[in-house]
Amino acid sequence: MEFEKLKPPDDGKKIEYVDGKLLVPDNPIIPYIEGDGIGKDVVPAALKVLDTAAEKTGREIVWFRIYAGEDAYKLYGNHLPEDTIKAIKEYRVAIKGPLTTPVGGGYRSLNVTIRQTLDLYACVRPVYYIDGVPSPLKKPENVNLIIFRENTEDVYAGIEWPKGSDEAKKLIDFLSTLGAKIREDSGIGVKPISEFATKRLVRMAIKYAIENKRRNVTLVHKGNIMKYTEGAFRDWGYEVAREEFPNTTVTEDELWEKFEGKQPDGVVVVKDRIADNMFQQLLTRTAEYDVLAMPNLNGDYISDFAAGLVGGLGVAPGSNIGDGMGVFEPVHGSAPKYAKQNKVNPTAEILSGALMFEYLGWNDCSELIKKAVEITIKSKVVTYDIHRHTGGKLVGTREFAEAVVENMHSL
Ligand code: NAP
């Protein structure tokens, strides 16, 4: 593989994808992007933790630095160079820090572009309680969710034009011929939601639920208002369950009609909730929700909300998954006001690495990290975001990661 400015490492092996399965060597080459803002703090700290976990389980990661955001602009004159996309395609699994996106104008979100270009169609975010992390809930231990957010469509598809542009005018004229009245001074955005993308997302969520013995999958939509996009998402979701998993799923209605409300073993309940209701359900009936599948924008809002239930963005990991390819990153952004202050919490980036290890099939490695993070937080060695609620020993990003490494050595 030829790169314009990158030199891949001489040692380490490539992860391969054969017959729908990842083949992972013990010394994989893994590209990483530091990212913007606090990415510069959390990524180097997290890589040290990941190295220790790999080493302790007899493996080694050969890191390959690639560029996006401000670093890429300095090096290539482009915020997302072709080299970066090529490297992720070639090596299949990568980890990244957050990237800044200008609001209202400027370049398009680099995160969205990476997800769409590589067809990483599912944004998968586990949200669970870590003992010792402050939470606004009385029973935060009831939060144990996996959010599957569609990553390539919806209003995120980037199909939009500003007020007064030729394109907006043309669309307004055209739409008026279909009977739609739109004010002339409108910006126009388009919300596509397809059967194909919905079904592959919901399929992934149901498969995950079955394989990991989860109890239910909830389709979260706003189909009462947006009938042919969000409503169709719900209908296609149920169709996947009915047609592809007839023996391993039941709907909520069937659960009552056929099983008197008692969930049979080995069967996942598929249900749906309207998105606005979902927010309050997560607060008031937390334990009833398990795997959630939803279109892009609902997933964006609900991910941050759910993260807030168990301690906020500093501890919320995430991943973008396609077929045989994954890019792992925290839910949080680049928080520019805290950049390069060695202040913020690296837990979300560290746990994104743990998720990456699970994706590689290195569950022992992932468990080690999760335990070490929990021990560290329980011992009240914490960054500012947790310290402001719990007190304890206030440490910086680097020192927190060092404490995790130390605790991992004692496991
Ligand atoms: P943000 O960067 O996620 O930060 C919002 C707030 O969340 C921070 O002010 C801080 O809250 C808390 N926070 C975030 N990360 C934390 C950490 N590691 N430890 C502790 N607290 C943390 O959201 P934003 O300010 O809305 O967005 C900033 C930029 O990031 C924007 O350009 C946005 O587009 C981009 N973004 C990128 C990604 C991505 O790369 N995937 C995702 C989201 C946003 P307190 O100030 O209350 O402590």
Side-chain angles (χ1 to χ4, degrees):
M1 160 91 26
E2 287 291 307
F3 294 102
E4 187 192 337
K5 294 193 186 220
L6 296 175
K7 188 178 173 313
D10 295 326
D11 47 354
K13 292 204 181 112
K14 259 190 343 200
I15 295 170
E16 305 284 355
Y17 185 60
V18 181
D19 295 335
K21 285 211 170 101
L22 285 182
L23 301 180
V24 183
D26 279 343
N27 57 346
I29 298 174
I30 298 192
Y32 74 97
I33 296 169
E34 267 193 2
D36 296 323
I38 57 170
K40 296 268 171 292
D41 300 279
V42 296
V43 171
L47 295 195
K48 286 197 182 132
V49 174
L50 305 189
D51 279 336
T52 308
E55 199 183 303
K56 272 187 76 81
T57 54
R59 303 164 175 125
E60 183 198 9
I61 301 160
V62 179
W63 297 111
F64 175 19
R65 184 164 183 198
I66 61 175
Y67 300 86
E70 282 305 310
D71 289 339
Y73 193 76
K74 281 186 206 143
L75 197 63
Y76 293 86
N78 175 353
H79 286 94
L80 186 59
E82 192 48 37
D83 266 5
T84 299
I85 297 293
K86 264 193 196 167
I88 302 174
K89 266 192 189 150
E90 178 77 1
Y91 294 96
R92 298 199 160 273
V93 174
I95 186 163
K96 68 180 273 294
L99 294 165
T100 297
T101 308
V103 176
Y107 55 88
R108 225 185 129 206
S109 163
L110 305 173
N111 302 302
V112 173
T113 310
I114 291 173
R115 294 167 191 164
Q116 291 185 352
T117 312
L118 295 166
D119 202 23
L120 302 170
Y121 57 84
C123 185
V124 185
R125 293 170 165 175
V127 186
Y128 55 90
Y129 178 63
I130 303 171
D131 202 4
V133 175
S135 159
L137 293 184
K138 285 200 180 117
K139 290 190 175 168
E141 61 279 10
N142 283 347
V143 180
N144 190 358
L145 305 166
I146 309 271
I147 297 173
F148 285 77
R149 164 190 175 195
E150 206 289 323
N151 236 353
T152 64
E153 303 196 323
D154 200 352
V155 284
Y156 270 71
I159 309 170
E160 55 172 9
W161 291 277
K163 171 196 120 175
S165 61
D166 278 353
E167 293 88 346
K169 280 186 199 149
K170 271 188 203 157
L171 277 168
I172 291 169
D173 287 346
F174 173 66
L175 291 169
S176 75
T177 67
L178 302 180
K181 280 196 185 125
I182 299 177
R183 291 188 182 93
E184 280 188 6
D185 59 348
S186 302
I188 301 279
V190 177
K191 176 184 175 80
I193 291 197
S194 70
E195 180 174 353
F196 171 77
T198 299
K199 285 190 167 176
R200 69 178 174 173
L201 177 89
V202 175
R203 186 177 298 122
M204 190 190 270
I206 294 178
K207 263 192 186 161
Y208 177 92
I210 293 169
E211 283 165 14
N212 292 280
K213 302 194 173 17
R214 306 291 293 222
R215 289 163 299 129
N216 57 63
V217 174
T218 307
L219 308 166
V220 184
H221 60 88
K222 193 72 190 156
N224 51 332
I225 305 297
M226 292 167 273
K227 296 178 193 303
Y228 309 119
T229 50
E230 302 247 343
F233 179 94
R234 182 199 69 166
D235 295 346
W236 291 322
Y238 277 125
E239 218 172 281
V240 171
R242 197 168 56 241
E243 290 176 359
E244 301 181 26
F245 304 94
N247 302 321
T248 40
T249 60
V250 291
T251 63
E252 219 170 10
D253 288 345
E254 284 167 345
L255 186 65
W256 289 99
E257 282 159 14
K258 295 186 189 161
F259 304 100
E260 294 172 343
K262 291 197 190 84
Q263 185 165 352
D265 283 345
V267 165
V268 170
V269 175
V270 178
K271 51 188 177 179
D272 76 280
R273 295 289 180 271
I274 291 177
D276 38 350
N277 176 28
M278 192 69 231
F279 283 90
Q280 68 101 18
Q281 292 275 313
L282 284 177
L283 272 177
T284 54
R285 307 176 73 151
T286 318
E288 291 175 27
Y289 295 93
D290 194 346
V291 176
L292 308 178
M294 61 195 87
N296 212 332
L297 183 62
N298 298 340
D300 193 15
Y301 295 155
I302 287 184
S303 295
D304 274 32
F305 175 75
L309 297 180
V310 288
L313 291 177
V315 296
S319 61
N320 303 288
I321 305 292
D323 293 326
M325 194 173 291
V327 174
F328 295 78
E329 62 175 342
V331 175
H332 67 68
S334 56
K337 67 178 174 180
Y338 295 129
K340 292 195 197 157
Q341 292 175 28
N342 188 40
K343 179 177 170 102
V344 295
N345 195 341
T347 299
E349 189 76 51
I350 293 171
L351 293 179
S352 300
L355 264 185
M356 178 177 82
F357 287 157
E358 278 166 39
Y359 187 65
L360 300 182
W362 297 2
N363 289 359
D364 50 346
C365 225
S366 170
E367 283 306 313
L368 209 53
I369 293 172
K370 288 197 237 171
K371 269 194 203 130
V373 165
E374 189 164 331
I375 293 171
T376 310
I377 293 173
K378 254 188 170 168
S379 72
K380 296 210 166 170
V381 173
V382 288
T383 44
Y384 84 97
D385 52 321
I386 295 186
H387 184 266
R388 67 186 162 197
H389 299 289
T390 62
K393 184 177 174 200
L394 175 64
V395 293
T397 311
R398 235 179 354 257
E399 293 72 26
F400 180 84
E402 280 162 10
V404 174
V405 165
E406 206 169 297
N407 285 322
M408 208 184 301
H409 282 307
S410 69
L411 285 170

